[in-house]
C-alpha cells in the first residue's frame, strides 16, 4: 500500500495501475493523475490499448486514463 500523500509513480504500468486502484478506494482523484502512454513506436498502440482494457478498470477511470486526462492537461478538444 502507498503511504498517504505519496506522489503517483512516474512510470511503470503495474505501479500506475496499483496507484489508480488504491486511490479509487477513497477518491476518484487518483484516476485524474494518470496519463497512459503507448511507448509508440517501440510498442504498437493497439497492444498498449489491449493491456489497458485487460485491467478491467471502471468505465469512468478507463475514459480518464485512456485520453480524458491528456485532453484536459494539454487543452485538446474532445473527439467528435
Amino acid at each position: 500500500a502507498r503511504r498517504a500523500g505519496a506522489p503517483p509513480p512516474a512510470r511503470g504500468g503495474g505501479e500506475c495501475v496499483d496507484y489508480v486502484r488504491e486511490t479509487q478506494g477513497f477518491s476518484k482523484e487518483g484516476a485524474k493523475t494518470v496519463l497512459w502512454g503507448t511507448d509508440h513506436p517501440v510498442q504498437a498502440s493497439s497492444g498498449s490499448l489491449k493491456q489497458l482494457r485487460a485491467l478491467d478498470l471502471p468505465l469512468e477511470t478507463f475514459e480518464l486514463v485512456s485520453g480524458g486526462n491528456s485532453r484536459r492537461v494539454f487543452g485538446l478538444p474532445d473527439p467528435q
Side-chain angles (χ1 to χ4, degrees), residues 32-44:
K32 294 179 183 177
T33 65
V34 176
L35 300 178
W36 186 266
T38 63
D39 285 337
H40 180 78
V42 176
Q43 178 179 350

Side-chain angles (χ1 to χ4, degrees), residues 15-38:
E15 275 187 61
C16 288
V17 170
D18 290 344
Y19 173 77
V20 172
R21 285 195 171 138
E22 288 174 22
T23 57
Q24 286 295 303
F26 61 85
S27 168
K28 293 194 177 187
E29 293 304 307
K32 294 179 183 177
T33 65
V34 176
L35 300 178
W36 186 266
T38 63

Side-chain angles (χ1 to χ4, degrees), residues 6 9 15 26 28 31 34 50 57 59 68-69 72-73 76 80:
E15 275 187 61
F26 61 85
K28 293 194 177 187
V34 176
K50 183 178 178 180
L57 298 170
L59 180 60
N69 291 335
R72 184 187 77 247
V73 168
L76 302 172
Q80 302 290 338

